[in-house]
């Protein structure tokens, strides 16, 4: 897809956190939702999603449970933990700061410091 | 805490690996199904949908691997898998595994055994309080040739008073003596030592029961207190605490048991079971003999914070003062101090360190051997390795696998080594000559096990490095190529193998040389004539208590009677007594002067002893001049003496000693007793086989007397000690309360005096033999390898007309280069290494050319033989077959 960009690991984790904060999901669903939400800007490398989920589980941000899908199939669902919620909040703050700084630089009209 | 969750997840991944794998499979299968369904909804065919799904995922196996990596337990899982793989492959090649483990076990075990001995004897601190600040004080005298001699009590007391650097100085008697305990169920003989009153409290030893001695008890008190050893207390007194404060009879005099020492307390030797204070009379303090007789061992404790060199200087200063104050008695009498633990170690320090170095060398050889075995094995698995490389194992992974295998092999070898070490330690304990080392048991405890583990790890690094290095350098591709020829080495590994074998030969040369030097040393010792004929002679020792044998007449009557009765025994050829025993009990020495010498001339350090008539015949000592003692030499007759040949040579060179008069005073006066020299006898070695005989002055027993006598007897045939029970009953008939103090066969006495050298020699020979065997096996192996490699070439040559002998020479070529270079390096290194053995050798120099040449020839022959065998076998092969196989 045109315009797709590489997803850094940290960004991927952030997106997962946000997605899961809305509702618990299984791995495939996560991949679709993230693609959807970013309007195809972020093409999730499906292969790297699962290792990322494993790492996030180790960090204690998410946990998993086997549950039934709508079609009564067994799937592993992931959900946010309290620590994950806190992490999401902290990362949002960080992003706002860095994005703000970048935009300030980009909008700099010039002039003496 | 995120690290807590992290740990929990990791542990879970470790423990529930199979379940997690199952769930991962299921999860990914689900994902693919969903993706496939979505693709089908987009219009793809089922097959296309599935293919696209897989592509989007990016490879199922790869994803699985990445998830596994993300679990964070990879290294541990890999390790476990590597170890399992290693053990499986060991199981598939039992020949290699058993050989390698045995070789390693031998090398490691030998190190464990020797280390446990070294630790018990050298490293373990003395069981005294703050042993580092305890020093043995000794006297030196260049005129008498004294170096670390026992001290005279008067000097010791002066040092104690005057040297401020010492917080305290106490002393004990030079060598344990034997006392008889009577008034018990039967008379018993125990070894005893005298000490000053404050000795035990200074060194920090407390009795387990009762009390120790007090300072005042150094000098005579109303009663004689004694301390018993725990062992004696249990065996003789039944472990009864009521025995405290009761009296027993020691050498006929009453003594009060005031305490019992703790179990395991041994001082100064294992056998001492009774301690008593000196109990000197206060008059002794100013008497001349108190400063002239040197028989005690003072021990000093330094004041805290005092520099030992300072203390030593002060001690020497005081000794100089005493020399000025007592110009005759303390003439050129110096003093010095040595750390107590080092002093007690004596001359076993060097041999023990040499043995430790030897087993270290043995371990190096073992590691080289195992390294070679591993390399041969690695080359045989070239194809296997290449396959694994093709399957995705990186070079690092393969190296890790090889290292893990080496570690696993080392662990097995280490386990075997512990067993060998335990057995070896027990063997050492049993074989070591009695009394040679300070302690006789070498515990294998945590420290020793720790040392074994460290040695095993070092060995693993040493032999594990080689195959890993080879894999790293050649890499998987080259391994595949080389694996085409099974059982062959790559060029790189061939060079390493060759170097290893040459190193083995060099190291083996060093050990064999060391052993060879010791063999020659012991042989020289054996050939030294001790001065007497030990065959068929045994000796019993008796000590008459002064309470029942007060007068000289009583003493001489007893021994005359005993000797008379012994001579009536049909087996006894001759019997006689002496106050000394060659090689074991030298007795005392004194100064002397000869009539006619200048006023300031005198001799010193002449060994003094008394013998009964018949001694020299019994012991086979030749009469060189004049006559021996007879029954006619009685107390009333002229005082006579014999001198030994050493005395004649040194003090009467070119003169006739017979008829000259001699006295045992440095400067004779009117009270001096003069003896006339009536004969010269052969010299017996008084101290050790390796030490030349001292000058000796011998007097007739009847003109003096000694309560303690060694009674010698010679039998016509058979073992002289068979007669001991008979003699024991003869003595019992004469005196029921008199036990035999000790019994010895003179051939044993002679052998015991070389015990240390023999012991070390045997150990070193054993190590050298193993080392040589390993090296020869290495040479054989490397030649066999080379021969096998050149099989096709040799087949070709034979087909072209070459003779077997030519082929043998071709194969041997490289091996000979290895052997010669190994020999050269080994001989060169040995020249330096054997210098460390200088103090241990007798009659042979550490760089003795004969030994070096002999060893070089022996090893060259053995190594060439070991390489000739496989070369010849290969050259015999049928050319048609080998060419076909290629």
């Amino acid at each position: 897809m045109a315009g797709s960009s590489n997803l850094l690991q940290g960004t991927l984790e952030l997106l997962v956190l946000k997605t899961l904060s809305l509702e618990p999901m299984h791995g495939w669903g996560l991949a679709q939702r993230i693609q959807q939400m970013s309007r195809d800007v972020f093409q999730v490398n499906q292969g790297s999603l699962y290792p990322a989920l494993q790492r996030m589980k180790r960090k204690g941000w998410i946990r998993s449970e086997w549950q039934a899908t709508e079609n009564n199939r067994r799937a592993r669902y992931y959900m946010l933990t309290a620590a994950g919620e806190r992490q999401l909040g902290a990362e949002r703050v960080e992003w706002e700061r860095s994005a703000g700084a970048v935009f300030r630089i980009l909008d700099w009209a010039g002039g003496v410091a | 805490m995120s690290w807590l969750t992290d740990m929990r997840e990791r542990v879970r991944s470790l423990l529930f690996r199979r379940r997690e794998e199952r769930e991962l499979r299921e999860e990914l299968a689900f994902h693919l199904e969903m993706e496939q369904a979505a693709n089908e909804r987009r219009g793809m065919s089922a097959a296309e949908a599935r293919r696209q799904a897989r592509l989007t995922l990016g490879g199922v196996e790869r994803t699985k691997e990445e998830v596994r990596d993300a679990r964070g337990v990879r290294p541990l899982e890999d390790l476990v898998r590597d170890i399992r793989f290693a053990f499986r492959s060991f199981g598939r090649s039992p020949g290699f595994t058993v050989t390698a483990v045995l070789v390693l076990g031998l090398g490691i075990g030998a190190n464990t055994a020797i280390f446990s001995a070294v630790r018990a004897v050298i490293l373990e601190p003395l069981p005294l309080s703050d042993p580092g600040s305890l020093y043995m004080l000794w006297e030196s005298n260049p005129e008498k040739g004294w170096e670390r001699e026992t001290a005279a009590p008067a000097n010791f007391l002066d040092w104690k008073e005057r040297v401020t650097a010492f917080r305290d100085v106490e002393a004990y008697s030079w060598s344990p003596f034997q006392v008889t305990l009577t008034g018990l169920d039967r008379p018993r003989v125990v070894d005893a030592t005298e000490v000053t009153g404050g000795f035990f409290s200074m060194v920090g030893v407390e009795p387990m029961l009762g009390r120790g001695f007090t300072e005042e008890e150094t000098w005579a008190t109303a009663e004689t207190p004694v301390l018993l050893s725990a062992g004696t207390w249990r065996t003789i007194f039944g472990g009864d605490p009521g025995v405290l404060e009761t009296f027993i009879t020691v050498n006929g005099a009453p003594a009060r048991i005031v305490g019992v020492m703790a179990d395991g307390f041994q001082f100064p030797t294992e056998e001492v079971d009774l301690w008593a204070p000196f109990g000197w009379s206060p008059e002794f303090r100013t008497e001349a003999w108190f400063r002239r007789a040197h028989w005690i061992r003072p021990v000093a404790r330094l004041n805290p914070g005092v520099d030992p060199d300072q203390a030593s200087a002060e001690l020497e200063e005081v000794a100089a003062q005493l020399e000025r104050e007592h110009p005759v008695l303390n003439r050129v009498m110096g003093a010095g101090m040595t750390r107590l633990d080092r002093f007690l170690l004596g001359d076993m320090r060097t041999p023990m360190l040499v043995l430790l170095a030897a087993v270290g060398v043995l371990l190096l050889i073992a590691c080289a051997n195992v390294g070679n075995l591993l390399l041969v094995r690695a080359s045989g698995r070239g194809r296997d390795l290449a396959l694994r490389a093709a399957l995705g194992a990186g070079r690092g992974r393969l190296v890790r696998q090889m290292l893990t295998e080496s570690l696993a092999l080392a662990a097995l070898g280490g386990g075997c080594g512990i067993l060998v070490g335990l057995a070896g330690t027990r063997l050492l304990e049993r074989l070591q000559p009695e009394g040679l080392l300070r302690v006789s048991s070498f515990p294998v405890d945590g420290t020793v096990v720790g040392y074994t583990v460290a040695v095993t790890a070092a060995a693993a690094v040493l032999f594990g490095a080689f195959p890993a290095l080879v894999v790293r350098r050649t890499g998987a591709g080259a391994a595949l190529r080389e694996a085409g020829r099974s059982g062959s080495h790559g060029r790189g590994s061939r060079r390493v193998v060759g170097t290893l074998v040459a190193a083995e030969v060099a190291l083996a040369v060093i050990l064999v040389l060391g052993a060879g030097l010791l063999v020659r040393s012991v042989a020289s010792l054996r050939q030294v004539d001790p001065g007497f004929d030990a065959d068929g002679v045994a000796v019993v020792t008796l000590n008459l208590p002064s309470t029942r044998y007060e007068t000289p007449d009583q003493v001489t009557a007893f021994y005359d009677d005993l000797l008379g009765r012994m001579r009536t025994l049909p087996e006894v050829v001759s019997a006689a007594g002496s106050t000394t025993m060659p090689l074991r009990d030298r007795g005392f020495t004194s100064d002397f002067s000869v009539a006619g010498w200048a006023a300031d001339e005198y001799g010193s350090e002449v060994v003094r002893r008394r013998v009964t008539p018949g001694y020299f015949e019994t012991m086979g000592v030749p009469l060189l001049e004049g006559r021996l003692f007879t029954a006619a030499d009685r107390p009333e007759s002229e005082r006579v003496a014999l001198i030994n040949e050493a005395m004649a040579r040194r003090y009467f060179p070119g003169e006739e000693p017979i008829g000259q008069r001699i006295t045992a005073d440095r400067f004779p006066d009117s009270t001096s007793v003069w003896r006339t020299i009536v004969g010269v006898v052969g010299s017996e070695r008084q101290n050790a086989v390796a030490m030349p005989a001292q000058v000796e002055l011998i007097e007739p027993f009847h003109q003096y007397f000694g309560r303690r006598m060694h009674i010698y007897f010679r039998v016509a045939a058979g073992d002289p000690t068979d007669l001991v029970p008979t003699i024991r009953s003869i003595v019992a008939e004469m005196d029921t309360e008199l036990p035999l103090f000790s019994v010895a066969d003179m051939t044993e006495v002679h052998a015991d005096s070389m015990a240390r050298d023999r012991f070390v020699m045997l150990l070193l020979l054993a190590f050298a033999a193993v080392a040589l065997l390993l090296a020869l096996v290495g040479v054989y192996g490397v030649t066999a390898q080379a021969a096998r490699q050149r099989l096709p070439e040799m087949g070709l040559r034979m087909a072209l007309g070459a003779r077997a002998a030519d082929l043998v020479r071709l194969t041997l070529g490289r091996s000979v280069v290895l052997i010669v270079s190994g020999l050269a390096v080994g001989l060169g290194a040995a020249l330096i290494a054997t210098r460390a053995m200088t103090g241990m050798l007798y009659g042979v120099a550490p760089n003795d050319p004969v030994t070096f040449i002999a060893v070089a020839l022996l090893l060259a022959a053995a190594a060439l033989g070991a390489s000739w065998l496989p070369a010849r076998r290969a050259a015999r092969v049928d050319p048609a077959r080998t060419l076909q196989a290629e």
Side-chain angles (χ1 to χ4, degrees), chain B residues 410-717:
Chain B
L412 285 176
C416 180
I418 293 259
L419 293 175
V420 171
L422 267 170
T425 309
R426 295 293 153 255
L427 196 65
L428 274 181
E429 283 177 358
R430 273 233 316 256
L431 286 180
Q432 64 142 331
E434 258 187 65
L436 184 63
L437 298 167
R438 186 164 59 82
V439 292
S440 67
S441 81
F442 314 134
V444 176
D445 60 0
T447 314
V448 178
V449 172
Y451 181 81
T452 308
V453 169
V455 165
T456 309
V461 167
L462 277 176
F463 69 72
F466 296 110
L469 270 174
V470 169
V471 167
R472 215 158 65 88
R473 258 195 302 156
T474 60
L480 246 178
R481 260 179 277 127
E482 287 168 11
R485 285 138 139 250
S486 65
S488 68
H489 289 195
R491 205 176 312 133
S493 83
R494 228 187 307 146
R495 210 177 308 152
V496 175
V497 168
T499 319
L500 281 181
V501 170
E504 284 185 56
V505 170
L507 290 170
V509 164
I510 300 180
L511 281 189
V512 173
L513 257 170
L517 285 174
L518 276 183
V519 167
R520 288 203 61 194
S521 178
V522 171
S524 309
L525 277 177
R526 279 228 182 92
Q527 285 176 349
V528 170
D529 178 11
F532 59 93
D533 178 15
D535 269 321
V537 179
V539 57
V540 300
T541 310
L542 292 151
N543 194 351
L544 301 180
S546 52
T547 47
R548 281 180 294 116
Y549 298 87
E550 270 193 64
T551 66
D553 286 335
Q554 287 175 301
V555 172
T556 44
F558 175 88
Y559 282 117
D560 280 341
D561 188 9
L562 174 63
L563 285 171
R565 293 190 195 211
M566 284 174 68
R567 289 183 186 128
T568 63
L569 294 174
E571 302 93 329
V572 170
V573 167
S574 54
S578 166
T579 53
T580 65
M581 191 185 312
L583 300 177
R584 226 177 236 193
D585 179 9
R586 186 197 67 173
F588 68 99
T589 61
S590 71
D591 298 329
F592 65 96
S593 179
V594 174
W597 283 4
D600 57 350
E601 252 189 290
Y602 65 94
S604 47
E605 276 306 277
V606 65
V607 174
R608 305 281 306 283
R609 66 141 117 169
R610 289 87 198 240
V611 302
T612 68
Y615 172 82
F616 298 101
E617 297 93 324
T618 308
M619 285 288 270
V621 179
L623 170 67
L624 300 173
E625 260 194 82
R627 69 164 180 89
L628 298 172
F629 299 143
T630 63
D633 297 307
R634 306 232 41 104
E636 324 76 62
S637 50
E638 188 200 4
R639 306 237 135 201
V640 292
L642 294 170
I643 59 172
N644 71 354
E645 194 241 343
M647 174 84 148
R649 239 182 321 118
R650 171 128 176 250
Y651 288 101
F652 302 94
E655 293 174 24
E656 174 58 73
I658 311 235
Q660 299 217 32
R661 296 168 65 232
I662 186 170
T663 181
D665 291 323
R666 186 186 292 188
F667 299 119
D669 54 23
S670 52
T671 65
S672 298
V673 176
W674 292 92
R675 302 105 166 127
T676 312
I677 299 177
V678 294
V680 179
V681 291
S683 303
E684 285 174 322
R685 303 220 168 197
Q686 299 94 347
N687 298 299
V689 172
M691 284 179 52
Q694 287 182 263
V695 297
E696 202 169 281
L697 179 67
I698 308 148
E699 294 157 310
F701 174 70
H702 288 111
Q703 291 187 344
Y704 296 87
F705 72 100
R707 290 205 179 83
R708 179 163 175 273
M709 290 283 281
H710 302 288
I711 304 294
Y712 301 81
F713 58 97
R714 176 181 287 278
V715 296

Side-chain angles (χ1 to χ4, degrees), chain B residues 46-383:
Chain B
E48 184 63 21
R50 193 159 44 236
R51 199 176 69 90
Q52 282 298 329
R54 277 182 195 272
L55 282 177
T56 332
L57 183 56
V60 177
E61 280 312 316
R62 179 118 175 278
T63 311
K64 278 194 197 169
E65 276 295 305
E66 288 192 8
V67 172
R68 285 185 196 125
D69 277 338
R71 286 197 193 126
V73 293
R74 217 34 193 307
L76 198 54
E77 279 184 348
D78 284 350
L79 185 64
V80 169
R81 190 168 340 134
D82 281 348
I83 293 181
R84 293 237 288 268
F85 181 82
F87 277 101
R88 265 207 310 272
S89 74
F90 289 157
R92 276 200 302 264
S93 42
F96 156 83
T97 314
V98 167
T99 313
V101 168
L102 275 181
V103 169
L104 274 180
L106 259 177
I108 297 177
N111 272 274
T112 305
I114 295 290
F115 176 77
S116 73
V118 166
R119 177 169 165 276
V121 175
I122 300 186
L123 296 178
E124 191 79 341
L126 294 174
L128 308 168
S129 77
D130 192 13
S133 69
L134 287 173
Y135 284 80
M136 180 72 81
L137 308 180
W138 37 264
E139 302 203 276
S140 63
N141 190 313
E143 256 177 33
K144 299 176 189 269
W146 289 0
E147 278 191 20
R148 293 194 176 169
E149 200 51 49
T150 41
N155 290 337
F156 145 70
L157 289 167
D158 286 328
W159 297 342
K160 184 178 166 108
E161 276 162 36
R162 300 188 194 187
V163 179
T164 60
F166 298 148
R167 195 174 82 188
D168 200 2
V169 188
E170 302 288 332
Y172 64 99
S173 60
W174 167 41
S175 62
F177 50 95
Q178 287 164 319
V179 296
T180 318
L181 303 179
T182 48
L184 310 165
D185 55 340
R186 56 182 171 86
R188 297 191 187 236
V189 175
V190 296
D191 281 34
T193 296
E194 282 178 328
V195 294
T196 52
F199 184 82
F200 289 127
S201 40
M202 178 185 83
V203 297
V205 169
E206 291 267 314
M208 154 173 96
L209 285 180
R211 67 166 181 89
F213 300 138
T214 62
E215 286 264 4
E216 296 81 47
E217 283 165 337
T218 307
W219 304 94
T221 49
E223 299 170 339
T224 309
V226 291
L227 286 168
L228 296 177
S229 73
T232 304
W233 176 58
R234 286 186 222 281
T235 45
I236 300 187
F237 298 96
D240 172 21
V243 88
L244 280 184
E245 299 299 320
T246 64
F247 282 90
I248 54 168
T249 318
V250 178
N251 276 1
R256 185 199 280 273
I257 303 175
V258 297
V260 177
M261 300 305 273
D263 280 289
F265 176 71
Q266 310 158 351
F267 177 82
T269 64
E270 273 190 338
E271 292 90 19
V272 173
D273 285 320
L274 186 139
W275 296 268
F278 284 115
W280 292 320
S281 297
E283 312 91 69
F284 293 175
R285 184 71 176 90
T286 47
E287 283 176 14
W289 74 268
F290 212 51
R291 201 176 293 276
R292 189 171 35 222
H294 300 254
W295 54 282
I296 64 172
R297 288 261 179 231
V299 177
R301 190 183 281 289
L302 282 190
N303 256 319
V306 170
D307 177 34
D309 292 322
Q310 224 183 307
S312 183
E314 207 189 330
L315 179 63
E316 284 170 24
E317 173 59 45
V318 169
Q321 277 175 19
L322 290 175
E323 198 184 330
R324 285 193 292 274
E325 291 167 28
H326 306 274
V328 174
L329 290 169
N330 272 24
R331 201 185 127 106
V332 297
M333 195 76 67
M337 52 191 249
T338 309
R339 263 183 66 135
L340 186 61
D341 44 19
R342 199 153 304 169
F343 186 91
L344 293 176
L345 189 58
D347 56 358
M348 271 310 280
R349 188 158 200 268
T350 311
M352 296 205 87
L353 293 179
V354 164
L355 284 174
L356 198 60
V359 286
V361 169
L362 186 61
L363 183 65
L364 287 177
I365 299 181
C367 289
N369 223 283
V370 174
N372 263 340
L373 284 171
L374 280 171
L375 278 172
V376 170
R377 190 158 172 272
S379 72
R381 295 161 67 202
R383 180 165 298 167

